[in-house]
Amino acid sequence: MCTTKTLMAAAIAAGLLVGVQSARAHCDGLDGPVVAAAQNAWQSGDANRAPIWVRLQDADEIKKTCQDTLAMRKLGSQAQAFADHYLFETLVRIHRAGENARHTGLKPAGRDPGPAIPAADKAIETGAERDLAQLPTEEVRRGLRKHLNEVLEKKNFAPDASMSRPM
């Protein structure tokens, strides 16, 4: 009986660690804050607005890329689209490197960011962390409930019944 309880406790603990999803990155999306900083920079004509989401040591590279982009944008709509994409891609790549995260390219706008991103955005907008602070508790409860139910289903396992179940 002690082994069963130990296994159940271990399964629940593992569920808590695995079941709580980390916030999905939205910085690599075309509608994320990194691209918004780039758009703000070229709309204002101020390259200093672009590097807000990168490490200080990378700011000069971003400013230079932004200045090049501003110059290229004047060459026509095709050059503008190319320059914008290059700036967005560069900014996101350098931002992700600063997070020690892999860069897998720009993602389309409109993706589902999950519950954490909107809660964080709301907390930033309002300055109130209430909804953001409640989110991990709810996620832990959902993960705990899911994994406890899985363990409880297996609690009364009958060894000879395993032969009749598909694997």
Side-chain angles (χ1 to χ4, degrees):
M1 189 63 180
C2 183
T3 305
T4 303
K5 287 183 180 181
T6 304
L7 287 173
M8 285 176 53
I12 291 170
L16 289 174
L17 293 174
V18 174
V20 178
Q21 294 180 351
S22 61
R24 297 176 202 159
H26 76 307
C27 56
D28 58 355
L30 287 170
D31 55 354
V34 177
V35 170
Q39 291 170 330
N40 190 4
W42 55 251
Q43 286 172 349
S44 68
D46 183 2
N48 291 317
R49 294 176 183 242
I52 185 173
W53 298 111
V54 300
R55 296 174 297 187
L56 188 58
Q57 67 214 45
D58 297 321
D60 288 341
E61 180 181 354
I62 294 302
K63 287 179 190 176
K64 170 77 171 93
T65 304
C66 191
Q67 289 166 347
D68 293 345
T69 299
L70 289 169
M72 284 185 68
R73 293 184 101 248
K74 297 175 183 172
L75 300 176
S77 62
Q78 200 171 17
Q80 178 180 338
F82 179 82
D84 290 353
H85 184 81
Y86 177 74
L87 175 61
F88 299 160
E89 190 75 46
T90 301
L91 254 173
V92 169
R93 177 180 49 78
I94 290 173
H95 168 76
R96 297 289 286 164
E99 297 179 321
N100 291 321
R102 229 169 37 98
H103 172 59
T104 58
L106 291 173
K107 304 297 184 279
R111 294 176 301 152
D112 176 12
I117 300 298
D121 288 345
K122 185 175 180 183
I124 291 167
E125 180 184 321
T126 64
E129 77 280 351
R130 185 179 56 100
D131 292 336
L132 186 59
Q134 289 175 347
L135 186 64
T137 304
E138 288 303 314
E139 288 295 313
V140 167
R141 280 190 191 131
R142 272 194 284 279
L144 177 63
R145 192 174 309 116
K146 175 183 179 272
H147 293 287
L148 176 61
N149 286 338
E150 289 173 2
V151 169
L152 290 175
E153 284 177 14
K154 295 174 182 174
K155 178 180 170 188
N156 295 321
F157 173 74
D160 37 321
S162 67
M163 301 307 283
S164 62
R165 286 193 325 204
M167 299 289 269

